[in-house]
Amino acid sequence: MVLSNTLSLSSSERWKASLGALLCLASCGLLLRSLPLDAHWLLAPVGASVVILFVQFHSPVAQPWPLLGSYLLATVAGLACSHWVAQPALAAALAVALSIWLMAWLNCVHPPGGALALLLVLNGPYSSTEMVAVSELIAINAGVLLLAALFINRMVLRRRHPHSSAQPGPSHNTQDRPPIERLGLTHTDLESAVKTLNTFVDVQEDELVEIYNLAVDHAFGRHVGLSCADIMSRDVITAHFDTDLAVAWKLLRQHKIKSLPVIDRFDRLIGIVTVADFLRQIDNQATPKDLATLVQALLRRTPGHYADKPEVVGQIMSSEVFTATPQTPLSELIRQISQRALPHVPVVDEQRKVVGMVTQSDLLVALYKSIALSQAAKA
């Protein structure tokens, strides 16, 4: 009971969070000391903010507006209650309660804001001059903290912060959402669920969708239990960097395939060439009538030692290739194929040697057989 529902971090995340906190507080302290101010110390609530910014950097409470807004509102609430309420205990309670109400009202909930309001009351009351000085100190602390956290998260830890809900759009340049997103949770579903819970949900909307999709993938993997090794084609037709375009084109037509993995002399994958790569070499203003002539011109070898057009596969191939391994679960492969609009995925081993190829047809057949066998077993 005591340890249930606790936050669990992987080893790499523990190191990243600790390193981020170390760098952030050290840089904030150095920056504050370099400013020409009489008071330049770090405020205690900054320590709590650093925990959130580097442990829960994806959380709604770790975004720029909650951080800045909470410090601003807590400053106003703390100074006001310290000035107008004579009894310290009552002033502290009112300051924290008012901070919470204002943060919730203005959508900038950040827990250290409550600590800041309490700190201000416990150190009050203040004169007018002291209020100005304290406000300046808090503003500088918040600004320096935010800048340092953004820089360290993005440039040092390579994290996406501030968090953005923008997702890569479909590759077909249409308004349709990717196939994997057309079924399942929608914004309306999430909005309804949050309203039903009637409480603060400490997770971004797109992350909640991702959690849902990952759970569905895991359940699919448990029930279906297939991996790339179970469905991939193993007799893969490949090309080399120096394969003539005409030879590669003949292989594509002869085997009725749309892509050729390109390998080096050690059989390791270095790229992929597709029908689309060939067509990209042709003038996009060409008419269908001219297409055959232009393709033939592209495939024809240029006499001599120099050419002003591509001659071999390595000159037109795509070097960035999404790959899978034989152990990749089918659920993960389906997600990647859907999100990236991939018609085919090379399967490689630990040495990056091509051991198979999975196409959309392979996936369709595997899913069909799985569903058919499941229904037959129930019958």
Side-chain angles (χ1 to χ4, degrees):
M1 291 294 292
V2 177
L3 297 178
S4 62
N5 297 323
T6 56
L7 178 64
S8 177
L9 290 178
S10 65
S11 176
S12 63
E13 281 300 303
R14 286 198 300 271
W15 280 106
K16 283 184 178 180
S18 301
L19 176 62
L22 172 66
L23 296 176
C24 184
L25 284 175
S27 58
C28 286
L30 292 173
L31 284 171
L32 285 170
R33 291 180 84 65
S34 67
L35 295 175
L37 299 173
D38 294 331
H40 51 240
W41 59 83
L42 284 171
L43 296 170
V46 167
S49 293
V50 165
V51 174
I52 293 173
L53 290 170
F54 290 98
V55 175
Q56 298 174 275
F57 62 94
H58 50 76
S59 167
V61 302
Q63 305 314 305
W65 167 236
L67 172 64
L68 296 177
S70 66
Y71 273 59
L72 170 64
L73 298 175
T75 302
V76 173
L79 293 178
C81 290
S82 175
H83 183 73
W84 294 106
V85 181
Q87 216 290 328
L90 179 59
L94 283 173
V96 175
L98 180 59
S99 297
I100 292 174
W101 192 91
L102 290 172
M103 286 188 293
W105 181 46
L106 294 175
N107 295 321
C108 57
V109 174
H110 185 70
L116 177 60
L118 179 61
L119 178 66
L120 289 174
V121 172
L122 294 179
N123 286 300
Y126 307 89
S127 66
S128 299
T129 304
E130 289 173 332
M131 284 187 179
V132 173
V134 167
S135 298
E136 289 179 350
L137 177 62
I138 293 172
I140 292 170
N141 267 260
V144 168
L145 171 62
L146 179 60
L147 291 175
L150 291 177
F151 178 83
I152 293 169
N153 265 324
R154 279 182 172 269
M155 306 306 295
V156 179
L157 304 181
R158 300 298 179 183
R159 290 167 160 180
R160 187 178 60 168
H161 186 249
H163 183 87
S164 172
S165 297
Q167 297 292 326
S171 61
H172 304 295
N173 297 320
T174 65
Q175 296 301 316
D176 286 330
R177 290 157 52 196
I180 199 73
E181 297 179 10
R182 295 175 196 167
L183 296 174
L185 289 180
T186 64
H187 173 75
T188 305
D189 298 328
L190 294 172
E191 189 176 36
S192 174
V194 171
K195 285 183 178 178
T196 302
L197 286 174
N198 194 27
T199 187
F200 178 75
V201 180
D202 188 17
V203 64
Q204 299 282 357
E205 179 180 305
D206 60 326
E207 288 188 324
L208 186 57
V209 173
E210 182 68 13
I211 291 170
Y212 167 82
N213 287 330
L214 290 173
V216 171
D217 291 347
H218 186 267
F220 177 87
R222 272 193 304 112
H223 292 292
V224 176
L226 294 177
S227 65
C228 288
D230 299 313
I231 69 169
M232 67 185 185
S233 304
R234 298 175 184 271
D235 185 14
V236 183
I237 308 301
T238 60
H240 290 81
F241 188 96
D242 58 354
T243 301
D244 286 349
L245 293 184
V247 174
W249 183 262
K250 183 179 179 180
L251 288 173
L252 290 172
R253 296 193 62 187
Q254 178 183 346
H255 296 280
K256 299 180 180 179
I257 53 180
K258 296 181 180 179
S259 66
L260 292 172
V262 183
I263 58 177
D264 62 14
R265 61 192 182 95
F266 299 106
D267 295 333
R268 294 175 301 199
L269 184 71
I270 59 173
I272 193 167
V273 63
T274 67
V275 173
D277 292 320
F278 280 88
L279 296 180
R280 269 193 287 271
Q281 310 306 315
I282 298 173
D283 184 6
N284 56 11
Q285 302 297 324
T287 63
K289 182 180 179 180
D290 302 326
L291 192 59
T293 303
L294 292 172
V295 169
Q296 290 175 359
L298 174 66
L299 300 181
R300 191 181 303 117
R301 257 293 191 180
T302 303
H305 298 288
Y306 301 99
D308 57 359
K309 70 176 184 66
E311 297 289 333
V312 296
V313 163
Q315 294 176 287
I316 69 168
M317 72 177 189
S318 302
S319 56
E320 293 185 7
V321 189
F322 174 79
T323 61
T325 68
Q327 296 77 34
T328 300
L330 207 57
S331 56
E332 174 62 19
L333 190 66
I334 291 173
R335 170 174 295 279
Q336 295 297 335
I337 283 180
S338 170
Q339 290 179 340
R340 300 169 184 264
L342 300 172
H344 34 246
V345 174
V347 183
V348 298
D349 62 12
E350 295 83 356
Q351 288 77 42
R352 203 168 170 75
K353 292 183 178 181
V354 179
V355 295
M357 179 76 85
V358 175
T359 66
Q360 292 178 345
S361 299
D362 297 324
L363 287 174
L364 286 173
V365 171
L367 292 175
Y368 165 74
K369 287 187 175 181
S370 177
I371 295 171
L373 288 173
S374 175
Q375 294 300 318
K378 290 180 181 179

